[in-house]
Amino acid sequence: MSNKLWAGRFTQPTDAFVEEFTASINFDQRLYRYDILGSVTHAGMLARQGIIADNEAETIIQGLNEILAEIEEGKFVFSVAREDIHMNIEARLIEKIGPVGGKLHTARSRNDQVALDVRLYLRDEVDAIAKALRQMQSALLAQAEVNLDVIMPGYTHLQTAQPVLFSHHMLAYVEMLARDAGRLHDLRRRLNLMPLGAGALAGTTFPIDREWVAGQLGFAGVTRNSLDSVSDRDFALEFCSFASIMMMHLSRLSEELILWSSADFAFIELSDGFCTGSSIMPQKKNPDVPELVRGKTGRVYGNLVSLLTLMKSLPLAYNKDMQEDKEPLFDTIDTVRGSLKVFAEMIAKMAVNPERMRIAAARGFSTATDVADYLVRKGLPFRNAHEVVGKTVRYCVENGKDIPELSLEEFQQFSTAIDADIFDHVTLEASVNARKATGGTARSAVEKELVLARQALEES
Ligand code: ARG
């Protein structure tokens, strides 16, 4: 009545819609390479342990390799009736090599098989994403390196606060992405454990060698509890958490790029290849790429919440609910990879406008704190200095002047502690370069961080 691998217990065929509804083949087929790799290794282990004969393992492995070629050449017919990638491949194997193919699933369950496949797949994706992150950091660093003389306004509350180096601003994102890379590295350690051997949930009655399988597949070790092995999806959750935080960083950068490329700021120009026009307003050049990345951040958060919600009430061990882990995970991977790829290229091609940044940096009394710090060095308590400069700024506002434009006499109305050397402290360069302590925006401090960031990137 049915060619289902589990049909033995059943007297009636699966309802046609239920078959479609419960199938995962449409999305889990992307695991094929890892499913076959896991099966080839498993068959090798079964033979090594004398659980199946050597020639049986050889036939199975050859059949699996042929199936791999069929899939890669686009000749494999994926079937919803065969539910998922595991049964599509196993059924095809039996079709090709006969009943001996049925020995492959000895000492194994789809529950530990799928846990293995997803770990193997995610491990490769994590490595690819780590590389993409490095490329993104490198693009930011390159912008920081070539624009070392560019001064821009630093903001708090999006109000002009103090001048900073544009390079310093770029390095802030390098720093964020370095933490992201650290999280990725960290989650990879917990991901890189081999779950096969858990069977359906309780382990297996066969004398398997899990450590050998783990070694063959490049895992650092084996998982330690069969129930947990088949019901743990922490690795997917950790990945989606990493991705959410990383996308939050890209989204913040997106927001800044969108502001900076507006006519009102005009701090940067994104290259034409990363923008689109308006169908009605001929003058428009829209920053679609950063807008879309900012938007996609929402779906990555959504995927994390989906997964957390999916897992929160599941009793041990495997539950079919867990098949729903794949689409959010895969979508997150695709979104993160796409976003990093497009961003690295866009940042590399971004043009900066030093003049516009400089004009903006000089506005808004951005060196007021420098006057206060000057007074502190002359002996005033900081709170008094703050008061003096507050009054000075009010005077400037009322008289339509900027701080560096005041005469010495005007300065001295507010404090006699002010001398002619005040003018050495209120330029943009002086303000920036005075902030020399580690992590500050002084050119000397930023140069040091640029070197360190480059080194760290090359060593990672
Ligand atoms: N397609 C299933 C999944 O992704 C594979 C495991 C199925 N196991 C089971 N007992 N039905 O979760």
Side-chain angles (χ1 to χ4, degrees), residues 268-287:
I268 59 157
E269 190 176 350
L270 296 174
S271 104
D272 285 0
F274 294 83
C275 298
T276 60
S278 157
S279 55
I280 172 167
M281 296 167 283
Q283 83 283 13
K284 293 274 288 233
K285 179 168 155 185
N286 297 327

Side-chain angles (χ1 to χ4, degrees), residues 327-341:
E327 286 159 297
L329 178 65
F330 296 167
D331 183 67
T332 301
I333 289 169
D334 294 345
T335 305
V336 162
R337 287 191 69 161
S339 301
L340 283 172
K341 179 179 154 63

Side-chain angles (χ1 to χ4, degrees), residues 24 28 83-84 86 110-111 114 318 320 322-323 326:
S24 54
D28 68 12
E83 196 176 319
D84 57 23
H86 324 294
R110 271 187 298 152
N111 298 350
V114 71
Y318 179 84
K320 182 74 169 181
M322 290 162 72
Q323 179 165 290
K326 288 172 200 60

